[in-house]
Amino acid sequence: MSALGELGSLRGKKPVGQKKDNLAGYLFLAPWLLGLFLITIGPMVASLYLSFTDYNLIQAPKWIGLENFSRMLSDERLHNSLRVTFTYVFVSVPLQLTIALLLAVVLDRGVRGMAFYRSVFYLPSLLGSSVAIAILWRQVFGTTGLLNQVLDVIGIHGKGWISDPSTALGTLVVLNVWTFGSPMVIFLAGLRQIPTMYYEAASVDGAGVLRRFVSITLPLLTPIIFFNLVLQIIHAFQSFTQAFVVSGGSGGPSDSTMFFTLYLYDRGFGNFDMGYASAMAWFLLVIIGVFTAANFFASKYWVFYDD
Amino acid sequence: MTTETLRTTVTAGRTGVITWARIRPLVIHVLLAGSALVMLYPVIWMVVSSLRPGNEIFRDPGILVKDLRIENYRVGWHALTEPFTRYLLNSAVVVLGSIIGNLVSCSMAAYAFARLEFRGKKFWFAIMLLSIMLPIHVVIVPQYILFSNLGWINTVLPLIVPKLLATDAFFVFLMVQFIRGIPRELDEAARIDGCGKASIFLRIILPLMVPALATTTIFTFIWTWNDFFSQLIYLTDPHMYTVPVALRSFVDATSESSWGSMFAMSVVSLVPVFLAFLVGQRFLIKGIATTGIK
Amino acid sequence: MRPHIRRTAGRRLRALAAMAVATTLLAASACGGDSGGGGSSAGGGGDVTLRFTWWGGDTRTKLTQQAIDAFQKDHPNIKIKGEFGEWSGYWDKLATKVAANDAPDIIQMDEKYLREYADRGALQDLKKSEGLDTGKFEDDTLKAGEFDGGLYGLNAGINSFAIVANPALFKAAGVAMPDDTTWTWDDYTRIAAELTTKLNGKAFGTGAPGTNEAALNLWARQHGESLWTQDGKVGVSPEQVTAFYQQVLKMRDAKAIPSAEAISQDMNAALDQSAMATGKLAMNWMWSNQLNAMSKAAGTELKLLRVPSVEGKASANGSYYKGSMFWSISSRSKHQKEAVEFVNFLANNTAAGNILLAERGVPPNTEIRSAVTPKLQPADAASAKFIQDIGKELGDPSPAPPVGGGQVEKIIQRYTTEVLFGRQTPDAAAKAFLDEVNGELK
């Protein structure tokens, strides 16, 4: 409360008397609108249409109404993939964002060598989806991998983390957290936008590090935190490449890393059932849409804009 | 882990002779260096692997090399039908086009969403977010058909034109959030000085959102440089192959693979992105805090 | 005023969307013959450009490009554009292109997807293609690409499922190489268990059968069944799948195979990172044409053994010639004649044979095979000899998997994992496995 009050006094008042600027608005939006109608909408609507058909990619699609959707109700592998995906989203997103934020705050200081650390911490994210990652991950988490070698030294007998169905998903969470570079950079950019005069004012008031973080950094960073949260949730729901690369496209062992999108891909391109895959995609869109809408709704209560 | 250690060090610092304030930078450095090593291990492993004969890579999991061999680099560079330079150039073209496209079109759309009041704004914004919620695998076939009808297969157009038309909603949303963090008083002041919407955008907003633009540039660079799927689908002529497509041609699950070459060329392809990040991050720092405005 | 604007805007939006959908979907369902082959469209005398696509590593890419160059020298009016890439991306790309009516003219095909494309009319029946010479092909090798009375893929390399053994580890353990013409499953298990004990943790006796469907198919064939039937159905009974999994468990209990984790990890490992290549296994199940790559990766000379049988007779071990891959021609190619000419060159020309050697598997053309064998690297020569040797013992050809059957490898891997981890009993896994495979078939 007091933090908000403090900020309120620091910030100006809302401008009054907004005029509509339809023409300017649509002019600035023109490239995007053009892209929407020329490139985005067609394939989107086509996939919506395909979700009501039996389409094997080679022959023309056949209209089958809601059959794909009713099939989803009894598809147990799909239900499993939903469980896997939800677990992944709810574990890895908060973990990754917290670490990214903490490191961004630490690395934001003017301490010597920070540029170096920033780059080093970002490096894993550069590797992202390359084939090398799959090899690396087995080299680290395999039965004779690095992790087990380290554990052996301290007398713990490790296991095949990647190949045990109970821990395989965990290694993917670690992989995702390990590539926290993107949200970290966005946080860094956000931190850079906070005017130093706020901190100066707070210092004059005798506020400590923690106090300044809670009362200035956090509130002013909320639009960026919000952005990262929304996008990382969308991103995590669509997570594909890492699981695909690490499991060799199988979602294994025993479907334990079978993400929803991996299963979708498996149906569409592996089983030539693009109609069903499209139905799955639109189902996922609804799920992500609900989460995003909820996020936007909740944002009214905690995200703090300067306009 | 990190915070716990920090906290115990804090209490230790209070009771001990040495004050916390004095050892704090040291502690931070030690912690950072430690975690940096963990972060880096796999990358180091990759570089080391690139210096080993291909068939030794998996038999010896350590990171110590007896003799450094640059053989893999020499062989890998010419292992495919074109020298690797070709793939680097192709990737550079795609990356450059994508960056320009994203910077121009996304910032325009973002300005409209963040600052202008027009009819249907909320609707379009929702559509924009929706457009990134659909997994690529179900739109790729219709999209391919679209571009193939336009005769754009085996050109860079399917990879660049969408960026010119701001289809990367991620960046639009990112910039919207940043613009909303810029105080509106600045717009107001400029308007009173007689600036129109366009010049507010060019003279006030753009300079103030340099961190966001830098972020966009860095991400576009890295993501496009690493993007495999769409480049695989749209560029089928080996002359047009880009780095990620070429890299995957070294290894095949069902036959003989050249892991040495793959790791060597992976390291090569890492250099431009890493440099891009090093350069780009300097602009991250030149935010509103240091530009002296206000 | 406002509602009016909104209505027109809405209508315009709908019209635009409809147009977009129409353009994308019309092309998808078009049946016309447009292979987009580039080059001039007129057949006959003019120059023709063919698109030829294959998967594989850079060794294959190099050899194939050399073969293309040789062909172009002989046929100045035909230009071949090669498109290459690795396995998993290859199939996404091919599916997308076929869907968009933009399929390459000549396609390197795998047994897994052969019927998937052929049954839907995407591939040309090569029996109807004029001028394709299959005279030097053994019947067994041709059969691999044949079904419903048509030939949809020409065998490009012969393969057989086999046991690969690491003689160095046998020696280190002091265990004699088995006589693979008479060994039974019990011998196999016993020898593997002995290896495990004597190697004392350094390596295990053998990898598990059931990390792909081929071992199950052999098991079924040894028991008078077969994984697939000629008319495209599942041909293996729940009893035999159960028995197969009981055999796997017997091997686990005898410590003939490594831990469940290690086996599951090996299922999707790259060849070079696999347990066999890193010297952690004395034996494993493998396709014969991988001998060269595996030997190189392992850094030691490996040896191929016949698979064990129930009766202890090599002629009853169910082995068959599999096409390691096939040459197929797109049914929509506008240049059928030239495409056939090129496939002819790849399959029957000695010059091509001398370039390609056995990189795609042992050449099925018997004349090329004998011409090429002396030029092969030791490991490739060994696998060629192995193929030659088992030729007299083969059973009936194994039918290609039906539409939807390409998924069986992933499915069996999953149930083998379940069984090995003790999460499902053999008979529950067998039933679930068959249910799921049946569900995939269309």
Side-chain angles (χ1 to χ4, degrees), chain B residues 144 238 241 252 256 258-259, chain C residues 58 82 84 87 97 102 272 296:
Chain B
Y144 184 92
Y241 278 10
D252 180 78
E256 202 181 328
S258 305
W259 291 101
Chain C
D58 58 326
F84 55 86
W87 168 267
K97 294 196 168 270
D102 189 27
D272 303 64
K296 271 193 193 162

Side-chain angles (χ1 to χ4, degrees), chain B residues 176-292:
Chain B
V176 166
Q177 292 305 92
F178 270 91
I179 295 176
R180 291 186 72 174
I182 298 172
R184 254 191 211 264
E185 296 92 321
L186 296 175
D187 301 33
E188 291 298 310
R191 211 182 56 189
I192 291 161
D193 282 355
C195 284
K197 300 274 184 256
S199 55
I200 291 178
F201 172 65
L202 289 173
R203 291 194 196 160
I204 309 289
I205 301 293
L206 277 186
L208 287 183
M209 61 189 284
V210 167
L213 297 177
T215 313
T216 303
T217 309
I218 294 174
F219 285 0
T220 309
F221 194 119
I222 292 160
W223 292 348
T224 313
W225 191 264
N226 287 334
D227 170 36
F228 170 67
F229 199 58
S230 52
Q231 296 175 12
L232 168 85
I233 301 279
Y234 292 121
L235 305 174
T236 53
D237 183 343
H239 291 280
M240 297 297 296
Y241 278 10
T242 52
V243 170
V245 179
L247 275 183
R248 298 225 187 176
S249 305
F250 285 115
V251 289
D252 180 78
T254 59
S255 62
E256 202 181 328
S257 303
S258 305
W259 291 101
S261 302
M262 197 278 282
F263 280 115
M265 292 303 105
S266 291
V267 172
V268 167
S269 76
L270 209 58
V271 173
V273 259
F274 191 59
L275 287 180
F277 181 77
L278 277 183
V279 174
Q281 67 147 4
R282 302 176 69 91
F283 291 94
L284 284 180
I285 301 164
K286 286 190 188 154
I288 193 169
T290 46
T291 42

Side-chain angles (χ1 to χ4, degrees), chain A residues 39-54:
Chain A
I39 295 171
T40 319
I41 286 261
M44 271 182 89
V45 179
S47 74
L48 181 63
Y49 164 74
L50 290 175
S51 71
F52 297 103
T53 65
D54 178 8

